[in-house]
Amino acid sequence: LFKQEAGKYNQQISSIAMSAFYAQSFATRPNYIDLINDCISTMKVMGVKVAFLPLGVQSDLKKNTELRPELVRRLKIAGDVALKEGVVIGIETSLDAKSEVKLLKEISSPGIKIYFNFQNPLEGGRDIYKELKILGTKRICQIHCTDTDDVTLPNNKRLDMNKIKKTLDKMGWEGWLVVERSRDKNEPTNVRKNFTTNVSYLKSIFQN
């Protein structure tokens, strides 16, 4: 029904999110592979090639370093399942780009890539443009074009969207820019205004 309704308005679906793992632990939940299979089944029905897997608080490798071996093992399994089904699982971590490259090498599965969120390097005080270059085109499957709630994207002083476009163009990266947050703190519940502002701004830069 959701697919049919989206089709009426010619709306494409960018990715399927396993949002529960923001709060739950992918490294310890016993039925993780069942959830991966459920997600991939949904992706196939919806005709979507990318899944979004946030490693969240409990699987944050900066704070829970002891989970790394098990997390790598599980992501390797999940990546191989995704690869077999012709899809990709994009993970979001709190790590810097060099550490994410190292993590992907440990996982060693083309079915796992990085779902890059602008908010993470910005919050960490890192150079977002260098981070994108370090990861490179082949390691980034999709981008959360968003920042912490405070201002909408046109008013974000710590994010130069024109420089982002130039960086991505030089990299030769193509794909979805997913608008998630970047809500005006004075009107956080005004969804229509916040998203319309953000999307119109992105179109003015990336579709110009």
Side-chain angles (χ1 to χ4, degrees), residues 45-100:
V45 170
M46 299 301 293
V48 173
K49 293 294 185 181
V50 174
F52 170 52
L53 172 59
L55 296 186
V57 177
Q58 294 193 50
S59 293
D60 186 337
L61 288 175
K62 278 187 174 180
K63 299 176 181 178
N64 305 290
T65 55
E66 75 283 358
L67 295 177
R68 190 180 186 103
E70 179 61 14
L71 192 61
V72 168
R73 187 188 72 83
R74 291 185 176 207
L75 288 171
K76 166 71 173 172
I77 293 171
D80 289 348
V81 171
L83 187 63
K84 184 180 178 181
E85 297 294 337
V87 298
V88 171
I89 296 173
I91 58 172
E92 179 188 334
T93 84
S94 62
L95 301 172
D96 61 74
K98 288 183 178 179
S99 298
E100 286 188 330

Side-chain angles (χ1 to χ4, degrees), residues 107-120:
I107 296 167
S108 187
S109 174
I112 300 291
K113 295 189 178 183
I114 297 299
Y115 203 124
F116 191 85
N117 189 335
F118 288 172
Q119 179 182 335
N120 291 326

Side-chain angles (χ1 to χ4, degrees), residues 99-138:
S99 298
E100 286 188 330
V101 170
K102 184 178 179 181
L103 178 63
L104 290 178
K105 287 181 179 178
E106 285 183 50
I107 296 167
S108 187
S109 174
I112 300 291
K113 295 189 178 183
I114 297 299
Y115 203 124
F116 191 85
N117 189 335
F118 288 172
Q119 179 182 335
N120 291 326
L122 292 173
E123 285 289 287
R126 303 191 296 272
D127 187 322
I128 187 172
Y129 317 102
K130 287 183 179 178
E131 295 263 295
L132 286 166
K133 292 175 185 177
I134 289 168
L135 283 169
T137 304
K138 294 183 179 180

Side-chain angles (χ1 to χ4, degrees), residues 148-195:
T148 311
D149 284 341
D150 187 21
V151 294
T152 52
L153 290 174
N155 300 307
N156 192 325
K157 302 300 182 185
R158 66 178 183 178
L159 183 59
D160 186 338
M161 202 63 72
N162 284 292
K163 191 172 180 179
I164 289 287
K165 182 182 185 302
K166 289 179 181 177
T167 301
L168 293 176
D169 285 348
K170 285 184 178 180
M171 290 167 54
W173 190 88
E174 293 183 354
W176 287 85
L177 299 175
V178 179
V179 178
E180 182 193 17
R181 298 180 63 170
S182 294
R183 292 169 289 197
D184 185 341
K185 65 181 179 181
N186 297 314
E187 297 183 82
T189 60
N190 193 337
V191 177
R192 183 182 295 274
K193 180 179 179 181
N194 286 317
F195 275 74

Side-chain angles (χ1 to χ4, degrees), residues 28-54:
T28 61
R29 180 149 181 150
N31 67 333
Y32 77 98
I33 198 64
D34 294 328
L35 299 177
I36 290 291
N37 286 329
D38 284 348
C39 179
I40 291 176
S41 295
T42 304
M43 293 168 73
K44 291 169 75 173
V45 170
M46 299 301 293
V48 173
K49 293 294 185 181
V50 174
F52 170 52
L53 172 59

